[in-house]
Amino acid sequence: MTSQTAVFRQLVRDHMSPPPLAVPLDEPVAQVVAAMGRTRATAAVVTTPGGGIAGILTEQDVVRRIACQRCDDLVVAEVMTASVLTVLDEHPLYIAIGFMRRNRLRHMPVVDAADRLVGMLALHEALAVANRHLVDDIERLTHEDTLEGLAGVKAAQVDLAERLFADAVPAPEIQALISDINNDIYRRVLRVLVGEMVMQGRGPPPVPFAAIVMGSGGRGESYLFPDQDNGFILEDYPDERHDEIDPWFVELADRMTRALDQLQFPLCKGNVMATNPLWRKTLSQWRQQIEGWLRKRHEAMLLFCDIFFDFRPVFGEPRLAEELRDFVTDAAARHPRFLHDMFGIQADHRAGIGFLGRLVTERDDPQHKGHVNLKLMGTLPLAEAVRLMALRSRVAATSTLQRIAGLQAANVLNASDADHLTSAFGFITGLQLRQQIRDSRAGIAVSNFVDPRALTERELATLKDSLRAINDFRARVRADLTGQLVG
Protein backbone atom coordinates (compact mmCIF):
# COMPACT_ATOMS: atom_id res chain seq x y z
CA MET A 1 0.00 0.00 0.00
CA THR A 2 1.71 3.15 -1.21
CA SER A 3 -0.92 5.70 -0.25
CA GLN A 4 0.12 8.56 1.99
CA THR A 5 -2.61 7.50 4.37
CA ALA A 6 -1.20 3.97 4.75
CA VAL A 7 0.44 4.65 8.09
CA PHE A 8 -2.85 5.98 9.42
CA ARG A 9 -5.03 3.20 8.00
CA GLN A 10 -2.97 0.12 8.81
CA LEU A 11 -2.85 -1.83 12.05
CA VAL A 12 0.04 -2.94 14.22
CA ARG A 13 -0.55 -6.55 13.19
CA ASP A 14 0.21 -5.57 9.58
CA HIS A 15 3.81 -4.67 10.46
CA MET A 16 4.83 -6.69 13.49
CA SER A 17 7.53 -9.32 13.19
CA PRO A 18 6.90 -12.93 14.33
CA PRO A 19 6.80 -13.59 18.09
CA PRO A 20 10.23 -12.83 19.54
CA LEU A 21 12.37 -15.09 21.65
CA ALA A 22 10.25 -15.91 24.72
CA VAL A 23 11.73 -17.40 27.88
CA PRO A 24 10.34 -18.32 31.32
CA LEU A 25 11.14 -16.38 34.49
CA ASP A 26 13.52 -19.03 35.80
CA GLU A 27 15.55 -19.42 32.61
CA PRO A 28 19.32 -19.09 33.31
CA VAL A 29 20.69 -15.82 31.97
CA ALA A 30 23.59 -17.58 30.24
CA GLN A 31 21.19 -19.64 28.20
CA VAL A 32 19.09 -16.62 27.30
CA VAL A 33 22.13 -14.62 26.13
CA ALA A 34 23.33 -17.59 24.11
CA ALA A 35 19.90 -17.96 22.51
CA MET A 36 19.79 -14.25 21.66
CA GLY A 37 23.15 -14.54 19.95
CA ARG A 38 22.18 -17.71 18.12
CA THR A 39 18.91 -16.27 16.82
CA ARG A 40 20.25 -12.71 16.39
CA ALA A 41 17.42 -11.46 18.57
CA THR A 42 17.74 -7.96 19.98
CA ALA A 43 15.46 -8.81 22.90
CA ALA A 44 13.90 -11.72 24.76
CA VAL A 45 10.42 -11.47 26.26
CA VAL A 46 10.05 -13.04 29.69
CA THR A 47 6.73 -14.81 30.13
CA THR A 48 4.72 -15.99 33.12
CA PRO A 49 3.48 -19.58 33.45
CA GLY A 50 0.09 -18.38 32.18
CA GLY A 51 1.54 -16.90 29.00
CA GLY A 52 1.47 -13.26 30.11
CA ILE A 53 4.42 -10.89 29.81
CA ALA A 54 6.49 -10.46 32.98
CA GLY A 55 9.39 -8.49 31.55
CA ILE A 56 11.87 -8.08 28.74
CA LEU A 57 15.62 -8.58 28.41
CA THR A 58 17.19 -6.30 25.80
CA GLU A 59 20.70 -5.92 24.44
CA GLN A 60 21.05 -2.82 26.63
CA ASP A 61 20.10 -4.90 29.70
CA VAL A 62 22.80 -7.39 28.77
CA VAL A 63 25.40 -4.64 28.53
CA ARG A 64 24.35 -2.68 31.63
CA ARG A 65 23.40 -5.41 34.06
CA ILE A 66 25.11 -8.59 33.03
CA ALA A 67 28.37 -7.91 31.21
CA CYS A 68 30.37 -7.23 34.36
CA GLN A 69 28.84 -10.04 36.41
CA ARG A 70 29.23 -13.77 36.58
CA CYS A 71 25.93 -15.00 35.24
CA ASP A 72 26.31 -18.68 36.06
CA ASP A 73 23.80 -18.45 38.91
CA LEU A 74 21.58 -15.65 37.57
CA VAL A 75 18.10 -16.27 36.21
CA VAL A 76 16.45 -13.90 33.81
CA ALA A 77 13.92 -12.64 36.38
CA GLU A 78 16.80 -10.98 38.29
CA VAL A 79 18.03 -8.83 35.41
CA MET A 80 15.03 -8.25 33.15
CA THR A 81 13.22 -4.95 32.75
CA ALA A 82 9.82 -5.39 34.34
CA SER A 83 6.58 -3.41 33.75
CA VAL A 84 6.84 -3.90 30.02
CA LEU A 85 4.91 -1.53 27.77
CA THR A 86 2.94 -3.44 25.15
CA VAL A 87 0.71 -2.61 22.21
CA LEU A 88 -2.41 -4.39 20.99
CA ASP A 89 -2.18 -6.00 17.57
CA GLU A 90 -5.48 -4.33 16.58
CA HIS A 91 -4.32 -0.79 17.36
CA PRO A 92 -3.66 1.66 14.50
CA LEU A 93 -0.01 1.69 13.45
CA TYR A 94 0.35 5.46 13.80
CA ILE A 95 -0.77 5.32 17.44
CA ALA A 96 1.98 2.79 18.18
CA ILE A 97 4.59 4.91 16.37
CA GLY A 98 3.69 8.02 18.37
CA PHE A 99 3.71 6.07 21.64
CA MET A 100 7.11 4.51 20.92
CA ARG A 101 8.63 7.83 19.94
CA ARG A 102 7.36 9.56 23.09
CA ASN A 103 8.66 6.77 25.30
CA ARG A 104 11.91 6.32 23.33
CA LEU A 105 11.25 2.66 22.66
CA ARG A 106 13.06 0.91 19.83
CA HIS A 107 10.81 -2.14 19.94
CA MET A 108 7.67 -3.15 21.79
CA PRO A 109 5.97 -6.51 22.34
CA VAL A 110 2.63 -6.94 20.60
CA VAL A 111 -0.20 -8.72 22.41
CA ASP A 112 -3.69 -9.82 21.41
CA ALA A 113 -6.96 -9.06 23.19
CA ALA A 114 -6.23 -11.87 25.67
CA ASP A 115 -2.86 -10.28 26.52
CA ARG A 116 -0.94 -13.11 24.84
CA LEU A 117 2.35 -12.36 23.09
CA VAL A 118 1.84 -12.46 19.32
CA GLY A 119 4.73 -10.47 17.88
CA MET A 120 7.21 -7.60 18.15
CA LEU A 121 7.01 -4.14 16.61
CA ALA A 122 10.28 -2.42 15.69
CA LEU A 123 10.11 1.38 15.48
CA HIS A 124 12.44 1.66 12.48
CA GLU A 125 10.32 -0.79 10.49
CA ALA A 126 7.09 0.97 11.44
CA LEU A 127 8.52 4.35 10.46
CA ALA A 128 9.44 2.96 7.05
CA VAL A 129 5.71 2.99 6.24
CA ALA A 130 5.39 6.68 7.07
CA ASN A 131 6.31 9.44 4.69
CA ARG A 132 8.91 11.42 6.64
CA HIS A 133 6.82 14.57 6.18
CA LEU A 134 3.96 12.91 8.06
CA VAL A 135 5.93 12.16 11.24
CA ASP A 136 5.01 15.57 12.66
CA ASP A 137 1.35 14.78 11.96
CA ILE A 138 1.76 11.49 13.81
CA GLU A 139 3.20 13.32 16.81
CA ARG A 140 0.22 15.68 16.90
CA LEU A 141 -2.31 12.90 16.38
CA THR A 142 -0.96 10.74 19.19
CA HIS A 143 -1.13 13.00 22.21
CA GLU A 144 -1.48 11.24 25.53
CA ASP A 145 -4.89 9.81 26.40
CA THR A 146 -6.27 12.78 28.29
CA LEU A 147 -9.07 15.09 27.22
CA GLU A 148 -6.52 17.89 26.84
CA GLY A 149 -4.31 15.70 24.68
CA LEU A 150 -7.20 14.50 22.56
CA ALA A 151 -8.27 18.10 21.93
CA GLY A 152 -4.91 18.51 20.19
CA VAL A 153 -5.61 15.41 18.12
CA LYS A 154 -8.88 16.88 16.90
CA ALA A 155 -7.21 20.18 16.00
CA ALA A 156 -4.52 18.37 13.97
CA GLN A 157 -7.12 16.81 11.68
CA VAL A 158 -7.67 19.95 9.64
CA ASP A 159 -3.94 20.35 8.97
CA LEU A 160 -3.61 16.72 7.94
CA ALA A 161 -6.65 16.85 5.66
CA GLU A 162 -5.41 20.03 4.02
CA ARG A 163 -1.95 18.58 3.42
CA LEU A 164 -3.25 15.34 1.94
CA PHE A 165 -5.78 17.19 -0.21
CA ALA A 166 -3.03 19.44 -1.57
CA ASP A 167 -1.06 16.30 -2.43
CA ALA A 168 -3.99 15.03 -4.54
CA VAL A 169 -4.91 12.17 -2.24
CA PRO A 170 -8.44 11.11 -3.28
CA ALA A 171 -11.11 12.76 -1.14
CA PRO A 172 -12.87 9.51 -0.14
CA GLU A 173 -9.55 8.22 1.18
CA ILE A 174 -9.06 11.39 3.25
CA GLN A 175 -12.67 11.14 4.40
CA ALA A 176 -12.16 7.53 5.50
CA LEU A 177 -9.00 8.57 7.35
CA ILE A 178 -10.84 11.38 9.15
CA SER A 179 -13.48 8.84 10.17
CA ASP A 180 -10.83 6.45 11.46
CA ILE A 181 -9.20 9.20 13.52
CA ASN A 182 -12.60 10.31 14.86
CA ASN A 183 -13.46 6.73 15.78
CA ASP A 184 -10.08 6.34 17.45
CA ILE A 185 -10.85 9.44 19.53
CA TYR A 186 -14.06 7.71 20.60
CA ARG A 187 -12.01 4.64 21.54
CA ARG A 188 -9.45 6.59 23.52
CA VAL A 189 -12.08 8.71 25.30
CA LEU A 190 -13.92 5.58 26.39
CA ARG A 191 -10.70 3.94 27.55
CA VAL A 192 -9.97 6.99 29.72
CA LEU A 193 -13.52 7.17 31.08
CA VAL A 194 -13.79 3.47 31.90
CA GLY A 195 -10.46 3.76 33.72
CA GLU A 196 -11.73 6.74 35.68
CA MET A 197 -14.86 4.88 36.73
CA VAL A 198 -12.78 1.95 37.93
CA MET A 199 -10.47 4.28 39.88
CA GLN A 200 -13.48 6.04 41.44
CA GLY A 201 -14.83 2.77 42.80
CA ARG A 202 -17.61 2.25 40.28
CA GLY A 203 -15.93 -0.88 38.99
CA PRO A 204 -15.34 -2.15 35.45
CA PRO A 205 -18.18 -2.65 32.94
CA PRO A 206 -20.65 -5.04 34.63
CA VAL A 207 -21.17 -6.88 31.33
CA PRO A 208 -19.26 -6.83 28.01
CA PHE A 209 -20.44 -4.15 25.61
CA ALA A 210 -19.67 -2.49 22.30
CA ALA A 211 -19.83 1.24 21.65
CA ILE A 212 -21.02 1.96 18.12
CA VAL A 213 -21.07 5.03 15.88
CA MET A 214 -23.77 5.53 13.27
CA GLY A 215 -24.46 7.77 10.29
CA SER A 216 -21.46 9.14 8.42
CA GLY A 217 -19.05 7.88 11.09
CA GLY A 218 -20.36 4.35 10.65
CA ARG A 219 -19.99 4.61 6.88
CA GLY A 220 -16.44 5.91 7.21
CA GLU A 221 -17.53 9.12 5.49
CA SER A 222 -17.11 11.77 8.18
CA TYR A 223 -16.15 15.32 7.37
CA LEU A 224 -14.17 17.56 9.68
CA PHE A 225 -16.69 18.30 12.44
CA PRO A 226 -19.41 15.62 12.59
CA ASP A 227 -21.92 15.59 15.41
CA GLN A 228 -22.47 12.61 17.67
CA ASP A 229 -24.46 9.56 16.56
CA ASN A 230 -23.59 6.77 18.98
CA GLY A 231 -25.01 3.90 20.99
CA PHE A 232 -24.17 0.89 23.16
CA ILE A 233 -24.79 -2.81 22.53
CA LEU A 234 -24.71 -4.73 25.81
CA GLU A 235 -24.32 -8.44 26.21
CA ASP A 236 -27.56 -10.04 27.34
CA TYR A 237 -28.15 -10.24 31.08
CA PRO A 238 -31.09 -11.32 33.28
CA ASP A 239 -33.88 -8.75 33.61
CA GLU A 240 -33.56 -8.76 37.39
CA ARG A 241 -30.06 -7.28 37.07
CA HIS A 242 -31.22 -4.23 35.08
CA ASP A 243 -31.25 -1.82 38.04
CA GLU A 244 -27.72 -2.95 38.88
CA ILE A 245 -26.25 -2.84 35.36
CA ASP A 246 -27.97 -0.06 33.42
CA PRO A 247 -26.97 2.81 35.77
CA TRP A 248 -23.30 2.03 35.13
CA PHE A 249 -23.80 2.46 31.39
CA VAL A 250 -25.98 5.53 31.86
CA GLU A 251 -23.09 7.13 33.73
CA LEU A 252 -20.57 6.11 31.08
CA ALA A 253 -22.80 7.40 28.31
CA ASP A 254 -23.24 10.74 30.07
CA ARG A 255 -19.50 11.13 30.58
CA MET A 256 -18.76 10.08 27.00
CA THR A 257 -21.17 12.48 25.33
CA ARG A 258 -20.03 15.41 27.47
CA ALA A 259 -16.36 14.64 26.81
CA LEU A 260 -16.90 14.32 23.06
CA ASP A 261 -18.82 17.60 23.01
CA GLN A 262 -15.76 19.27 24.56
CA LEU A 263 -13.67 17.74 21.75
CA GLN A 264 -15.82 19.38 19.03
CA PHE A 265 -18.15 16.46 18.43
CA PRO A 266 -21.41 18.39 18.99
CA LEU A 267 -24.27 16.71 20.82
CA CYS A 268 -26.78 15.19 18.43
CA LYS A 269 -29.80 17.46 18.12
CA GLY A 270 -31.99 14.41 17.53
CA ASN A 271 -30.68 12.76 20.71
CA VAL A 272 -29.18 9.80 18.82
CA MET A 273 -26.75 9.05 21.61
CA ALA A 274 -26.12 6.31 24.16
CA THR A 275 -27.64 8.54 26.86
CA ASN A 276 -31.01 7.80 25.23
CA PRO A 277 -32.35 4.31 26.15
CA LEU A 278 -33.48 3.91 22.54
CA TRP A 279 -29.80 3.64 21.55
CA ARG A 280 -28.56 1.71 24.62
CA LYS A 281 -29.77 -1.88 24.67
CA THR A 282 -28.74 -5.49 25.06
CA LEU A 283 -28.15 -7.51 21.92
CA SER A 284 -31.52 -9.26 22.26
CA GLN A 285 -33.30 -5.96 22.87
CA TRP A 286 -31.68 -4.50 19.76
CA ARG A 287 -32.95 -7.44 17.70
CA GLN A 288 -36.46 -7.00 19.06
CA GLN A 289 -36.40 -3.26 18.42
CA ILE A 290 -35.18 -3.69 14.85
CA GLU A 291 -37.84 -6.31 14.12
CA GLY A 292 -40.41 -3.82 15.41
CA TRP A 293 -39.04 -1.08 13.18
CA LEU A 294 -39.14 -3.36 10.14
CA ARG A 295 -42.70 -4.55 10.77
CA LYS A 296 -44.46 -1.38 11.94
CA ARG A 297 -42.69 1.01 9.54
CA HIS A 298 -43.91 4.26 11.14
CA GLU A 299 -42.15 7.28 9.68
CA ALA A 300 -40.20 7.92 12.88
CA MET A 301 -39.03 4.32 12.96
CA LEU A 302 -37.98 4.50 9.32
CA LEU A 303 -35.89 7.55 10.17
CA PHE A 304 -34.30 5.64 13.07
CA CYS A 305 -33.33 2.87 10.64
CA ASP A 306 -31.87 5.43 8.27
CA ILE A 307 -29.48 6.52 11.01
CA PHE A 308 -28.85 3.13 12.57
CA PHE A 309 -28.17 0.84 9.62
CA ASP A 310 -24.69 2.28 9.01
CA PHE A 311 -23.34 1.42 12.46
CA ARG A 312 -19.85 0.15 13.22
CA PRO A 313 -18.08 -0.66 16.54
CA VAL A 314 -15.43 1.65 17.96
CA PHE A 315 -14.81 0.22 21.45
CA GLY A 316 -15.38 -2.88 23.49
CA GLU A 317 -16.47 -6.26 22.15
CA PRO A 318 -16.73 -6.09 18.33
CA ARG A 319 -18.42 -9.50 18.21
CA LEU A 320 -21.60 -7.93 19.60
CA ALA A 321 -21.72 -5.47 16.70
CA GLU A 322 -20.83 -8.23 14.23
CA GLU A 323 -23.71 -10.40 15.46
CA LEU A 324 -26.11 -7.47 15.19
CA ARG A 325 -24.81 -6.64 11.69
CA ASP A 326 -25.51 -10.22 10.56
CA PHE A 327 -29.02 -9.94 11.97
CA VAL A 328 -29.70 -6.58 10.27
CA THR A 329 -28.38 -7.78 6.92
CA ASP A 330 -30.69 -10.79 6.98
CA ALA A 331 -33.73 -9.07 8.49
CA ALA A 332 -33.83 -6.10 6.09
CA ALA A 333 -33.70 -8.38 3.05
CA ARG A 334 -36.64 -10.38 4.49
CA HIS A 335 -38.84 -7.26 4.62
CA PRO A 336 -39.19 -5.89 1.08
CA ARG A 337 -42.14 -3.73 2.15
CA PHE A 338 -39.84 -2.01 4.62
CA LEU A 339 -37.41 -1.14 1.83
CA HIS A 340 -40.34 0.14 -0.24
CA ASP A 341 -41.49 2.40 2.60
CA MET A 342 -37.94 3.45 3.35
CA PHE A 343 -37.57 4.78 -0.17
CA GLY A 344 -40.91 6.51 0.25
CA ILE A 345 -39.65 8.83 2.98
CA GLN A 346 -36.54 9.56 0.85
CA ALA A 347 -38.30 9.93 -2.48
CA ASP A 348 -37.87 13.70 -2.57
CA HIS A 349 -34.16 13.50 -1.78
CA ARG A 350 -33.06 14.05 -5.37
CA ALA A 351 -29.65 15.23 -6.44
CA GLY A 352 -29.53 18.97 -7.03
CA ILE A 353 -30.00 19.26 -10.78
CA GLY A 354 -33.16 20.02 -12.72
CA PHE A 355 -34.43 18.62 -16.01
CA LEU A 356 -32.96 21.55 -17.94
CA GLY A 357 -29.50 21.02 -16.44
CA ARG A 358 -29.72 23.85 -13.92
CA LEU A 359 -28.33 23.36 -10.44
CA VAL A 360 -30.79 23.53 -7.55
CA THR A 361 -29.41 26.21 -5.26
CA GLU A 362 -30.28 27.62 -1.84
CA ARG A 363 -32.93 30.34 -1.85
CA ASP A 364 -33.81 31.02 1.78
CA ASP A 365 -30.52 31.16 3.68
CA PRO A 366 -29.00 34.58 2.92
CA GLN A 367 -25.52 33.43 3.86
CA HIS A 368 -25.58 30.63 1.26
CA LYS A 369 -28.03 32.00 -1.30
CA GLY A 370 -27.18 30.72 -4.75
CA HIS A 371 -24.98 27.94 -3.36
CA VAL A 372 -25.48 24.18 -3.70
CA ASN A 373 -25.77 22.03 -0.58
CA LEU A 374 -23.67 19.10 -1.77
CA LYS A 375 -24.56 16.93 1.21
CA LEU A 376 -28.34 17.38 1.02
CA MET A 377 -28.40 17.33 -2.77
CA GLY A 378 -25.39 15.19 -3.57
CA THR A 379 -23.81 12.62 -1.33
CA LEU A 380 -26.91 12.02 0.85
CA PRO A 381 -29.26 11.00 -2.03
CA LEU A 382 -26.54 8.69 -3.33
CA ALA A 383 -25.72 7.13 0.06
CA GLU A 384 -29.41 6.54 0.81
CA ALA A 385 -30.13 4.85 -2.51
CA VAL A 386 -27.01 2.71 -2.39
CA ARG A 387 -27.85 1.65 1.18
CA LEU A 388 -31.33 0.47 0.19
CA MET A 389 -30.03 -1.58 -2.72
CA ALA A 390 -27.30 -3.03 -0.51
CA LEU A 391 -29.84 -4.05 2.14
CA ARG A 392 -32.05 -5.60 -0.54
CA SER A 393 -29.07 -7.58 -1.88
CA ARG A 394 -27.69 -8.64 1.54
CA VAL A 395 -24.49 -6.62 1.09
CA ALA A 396 -23.18 -6.23 4.64
CA ALA A 397 -20.69 -3.40 3.99
CA THR A 398 -21.44 0.02 5.44
CA SER A 399 -19.44 2.51 3.37
CA THR A 400 -20.99 3.85 0.18
CA LEU A 401 -18.04 2.85 -1.99
CA GLN A 402 -17.87 -0.66 -0.48
CA ARG A 403 -21.61 -1.05 -1.04
CA ILE A 404 -21.24 -0.01 -4.67
CA ALA A 405 -18.46 -2.57 -5.07
CA GLY A 406 -20.62 -5.18 -3.33
CA LEU A 407 -23.53 -4.45 -5.65
CA GLN A 408 -21.27 -4.82 -8.66
CA ALA A 409 -19.94 -8.14 -7.29
CA ALA A 410 -23.54 -9.30 -6.85
CA ASN A 411 -24.30 -8.31 -10.49
CA VAL A 412 -26.81 -5.71 -9.34
CA LEU A 413 -24.69 -3.00 -10.97
CA ASN A 414 -22.66 -3.37 -14.13
CA ALA A 415 -19.08 -2.14 -14.27
CA SER A 416 -19.99 1.08 -16.10
CA ASP A 417 -22.72 2.12 -13.66
CA ALA A 418 -20.56 1.23 -10.64
CA ASP A 419 -17.69 3.29 -12.05
CA HIS A 420 -19.97 6.25 -12.75
CA LEU A 421 -21.39 6.23 -9.20
CA THR A 422 -17.96 5.75 -7.64
CA SER A 423 -16.59 8.68 -9.62
CA ALA A 424 -19.58 10.84 -8.72
CA PHE A 425 -19.17 10.13 -5.03
CA GLY A 426 -15.43 10.87 -5.16
CA PHE A 427 -15.84 14.13 -7.07
CA ILE A 428 -18.66 15.55 -4.93
CA THR A 429 -16.86 14.51 -1.74
CA GLY A 430 -13.77 16.32 -2.97
CA LEU A 431 -15.71 19.55 -3.52
CA GLN A 432 -17.23 19.30 -0.04
CA LEU A 433 -13.93 18.59 1.67
CA ARG A 434 -12.18 21.42 -0.15
CA GLN A 435 -14.91 23.85 0.91
CA GLN A 436 -14.80 22.69 4.52
CA ILE A 437 -11.04 23.20 4.68
CA ARG A 438 -11.47 26.71 3.27
CA ASP A 439 -14.25 27.49 5.74
CA SER A 440 -12.14 26.26 8.65
CA ARG A 441 -9.15 28.32 7.57
CA ALA A 442 -11.36 31.39 7.17
CA GLY A 443 -12.67 30.95 10.70
CA ILE A 444 -16.28 30.60 9.61
CA ALA A 445 -18.80 27.85 10.30
CA VAL A 446 -17.94 24.75 8.30
CA SER A 447 -20.79 23.79 5.97
CA ASN A 448 -21.61 21.67 2.92
CA PHE A 449 -22.48 24.62 0.69
CA VAL A 450 -20.42 25.26 -2.44
CA ASP A 451 -20.74 28.32 -4.67
CA PRO A 452 -21.01 27.04 -8.27
CA ARG A 453 -19.58 30.35 -9.49
CA ALA A 454 -16.32 29.42 -7.77
CA LEU A 455 -15.99 26.24 -9.84
CA THR A 456 -14.09 25.95 -13.10
CA GLU A 457 -16.04 25.12 -16.26
CA ARG A 458 -14.72 21.56 -16.13
CA GLU A 459 -15.65 21.18 -12.45
CA LEU A 460 -19.12 22.53 -13.11
CA ALA A 461 -19.66 20.13 -16.00
CA THR A 462 -18.38 17.19 -13.95
CA LEU A 463 -20.63 18.15 -11.04
CA LYS A 464 -23.70 18.24 -13.25
CA ASP A 465 -22.79 14.91 -14.80
CA SER A 466 -22.31 13.41 -11.33
CA LEU A 467 -25.67 14.70 -10.09
CA ARG A 468 -27.42 13.29 -13.18
CA ALA A 469 -25.83 9.90 -12.53
CA ILE A 470 -27.19 9.95 -8.97
CA ASN A 471 -30.71 10.81 -10.13
CA ASP A 472 -30.57 8.12 -12.82
CA PHE A 473 -29.61 5.57 -10.18
CA ARG A 474 -32.34 6.75 -7.83
CA ALA A 475 -34.86 6.32 -10.65
CA ARG A 476 -33.75 2.72 -10.98
CA VAL A 477 -34.01 2.18 -7.23
CA ARG A 478 -37.51 3.64 -7.28
CA ALA A 479 -38.51 1.22 -10.04
CA ASP A 480 -36.95 -1.78 -8.32
CA LEU A 481 -38.42 -1.08 -4.86
CA THR A 482 -41.77 0.57 -5.66
CA GLY A 483 -42.58 -0.30 -9.25
CA GLN A 484 -42.86 3.40 -10.12
CA LEU A 485 -40.91 4.45 -13.18
CA VAL A 486 -41.11 8.24 -12.73
CA GLY A 487 -41.71 10.79 -10.01
Side-chain angles (χ1 to χ4, degrees):
M1 189 172 187
T2 57
S3 165
Q4 290 189 59
T5 65
V7 69
F8 301 105
R9 305 298 307 283
Q10 294 182 7
L11 303 178
V12 168
R13 68 166 66 99
D14 299 323
H15 294 279
M16 67 184 185
S17 60
L21 180 65
V23 299
L25 286 160
D26 58 356
E27 186 81 356
V29 167
Q31 293 184 28
V32 177
V33 173
M36 290 173 65
R38 188 169 59 253
T39 60
R40 297 184 179 181
T42 59
V45 176
V46 186
T47 57
T48 66
I53 298 178
I56 189 169
L57 185 72
T58 67
E59 290 176 321
Q60 292 182 356
D61 293 327
V62 172
V63 171
R64 291 198 307 265
R65 303 176 186 176
I66 302 173
C68 298
Q69 301 184 47
R70 287 178 57 84
C71 58
D72 297 351
D73 300 324
L74 291 176
V75 295
V76 70
E78 299 177 74
V79 294
M80 70 181 185
T81 297
S83 302
V84 182
L85 297 173
T86 61
V87 61
L88 275 172
D89 59 348
E90 62 186 23
H91 274 182
L93 181 64
Y94 80 95
I95 295 289
I97 289 174
F99 182 83
M100 293 176 76
R101 283 173 60 86
R102 285 199 309 276
N103 290 277
R104 299 184 179 182
L105 302 174
R106 293 189 299 167
H107 39 240
M108 189 160 55
V110 181
V111 297
D112 62 14
D115 211 30
R116 295 184 298 258
L117 178 68
V118 293
M120 182 72 82
L121 184 66
L123 180 59
H124 71 280
E125 293 179 2
L127 283 172
V129 185
N131 181 315
R132 64 184 180 87
H133 298 298
L134 295 178
V135 173
D136 287 343
D137 291 311
I138 291 174
E139 295 288 348
R140 296 180 62 198
L141 290 167
T142 56
H143 283 287
E144 66 278 3
D145 284 353
T146 62
L147 294 185
E148 293 78 9
L150 291 173
V153 173
K154 188 62 180 170
Q157 276 187 329
V158 177
D159 291 340
L160 177 61
E162 184 175 32
R163 186 173 298 110
L164 293 174
F165 195 84
D167 288 345
V169 175
E173 191 171 338
I174 301 174
Q175 193 180 43
L177 171 59
I178 291 171
S179 300
D180 285 348
I181 294 173
N182 285 338
N183 292 347
D184 188 60
I185 291 174
Y186 262 92
R187 189 176 303 113
R188 294 165 73 182
V189 164
L190 281 162
R191 191 160 54 233
V192 169
L193 296 178
V194 169
E196 286 181 356
M197 290 179 69
V198 171
M199 292 292 292
Q200 293 168 3
R202 294 178 178 267
V207 294
F209 78 106
I212 58 173
V213 294
M214 296 170 276
S216 62
R219 293 195 303 274
E221 295 165 9
S222 294
Y223 290 94
L224 293 178
F225 298 99
D227 62 1
Q228 296 185 46
D229 291 313
N230 53 58
F232 288 165
I233 307 170
L234 281 57
E235 190 160 77
D236 291 337
Y237 58 81
D239 290 344
E240 58 267 23
R241 294 191 62 197
H242 180 76
D243 291 342
E244 164 201 347
I245 291 174
D246 193 54
W248 193 96
F249 288 102
V250 171
E251 177 65 22
L252 178 63
D254 182 62
R255 295 186 186 205
M256 177 188 73
T257 53
R258 285 189 286 110
L260 289 169
D261 186 48
Q262 293 176 23
L263 296 175
Q264 298 185 62
F265 292 85
L267 298 173
C268 176
K269 295 178 181 178
N271 202 22
V272 182
M273 297 179 292
T275 47
N276 183 344
L278 188 69
W279 307 102
R280 185 185 68 252
K281 296 185 178 299
T282 67
L283 183 58
S284 293
Q285 290 169 343
W286 272 112
R287 289 177 177 143
Q288 294 168 4
Q289 179 165 275
I290 292 164
E291 279 287 0
W293 288 347
L294 295 175
R295 288 195 309 269
K296 296 178 182 178
R297 302 190 303 275
H298 295 161
E299 183 172 347
M301 295 178 181
L302 293 171
L303 293 172
F304 291 154
C305 292
D306 188 52
I307 297 168
F308 172 73
F309 278 0
D310 295 334
F311 72 88
R312 73 168 58 179
V314 292
F315 183 82
E317 295 284 347
R319 62 177 174 79
L320 295 170
E322 291 163 5
E323 289 183 35
L324 191 56
R325 172 59 59 194
D326 291 342
F327 176 81
V328 166
T329 301
D330 177 67
R334 288 190 285 103
H335 290 78
R337 186 67 191 178
F338 160 77
L339 298 176
H340 171 281
D341 291 352
M342 192 78 167
F343 185 85
I345 68 167
Q346 302 169 357
D348 294 333
H349 297 179
R350 292 174 49 84
I353 188 166
F355 293 112
L356 299 178
R358 292 183 178 180
L359 294 176
V360 179
T361 59
E362 175 63 32
R363 297 180 178 181
D364 299 326
D365 182 353
Q367 183 179 356
H368 298 293
K369 192 171 184 177
H371 298 180
V372 182
N373 187 330
L374 288 183
K375 176 180 179 180
L376 190 63
M377 296 191 171
T379 52
L380 180 64
L382 177 58
E384 288 175 343
V386 168
R387 181 198 299 120
L388 289 177
M389 291 299 278
L391 290 170
R392 181 174 183 253
S393 304
R394 298 180 187 269
V395 174
T398 57
S399 84
T400 300
L401 293 184
Q402 288 175 346
R403 283 169 169 162
I404 291 172
L407 291 171
Q408 182 182 354
N411 295 318
V412 177
L413 290 175
N414 61 38
S416 178
D417 289 342
D419 180 64
H420 211 165
L421 293 176
T422 297
S423 298
F425 181 82
F427 181 75
I428 296 173
T429 296
L431 294 181
Q432 286 178 268
L433 184 60
R434 182 175 69 183
Q435 186 63 50
Q436 290 200 351
I437 292 171
R438 288 175 176 172
D439 289 345
S440 179
R441 291 302 182 211
I444 61 178
V446 170
S447 76
N448 295 292
F449 284 95
V450 172
D451 185 351
R453 294 167 297 185
L455 303 180
T456 66
E457 289 186 10
R458 181 179 178 183
E459 288 175 334
L460 190 58
T462 303
L463 174 60
K464 290 182 177 181
D465 186 55
S466 298
L467 296 176
R468 289 190 193 98
I470 295 171
N471 279 338
D472 288 345
F473 177 64
R474 288 186 63 83
R476 175 186 167 179
V477 174
R478 175 190 292 274
D480 285 355
L481 296 183
T482 72
Q484 299 176 15
L485 298 180
V486 296

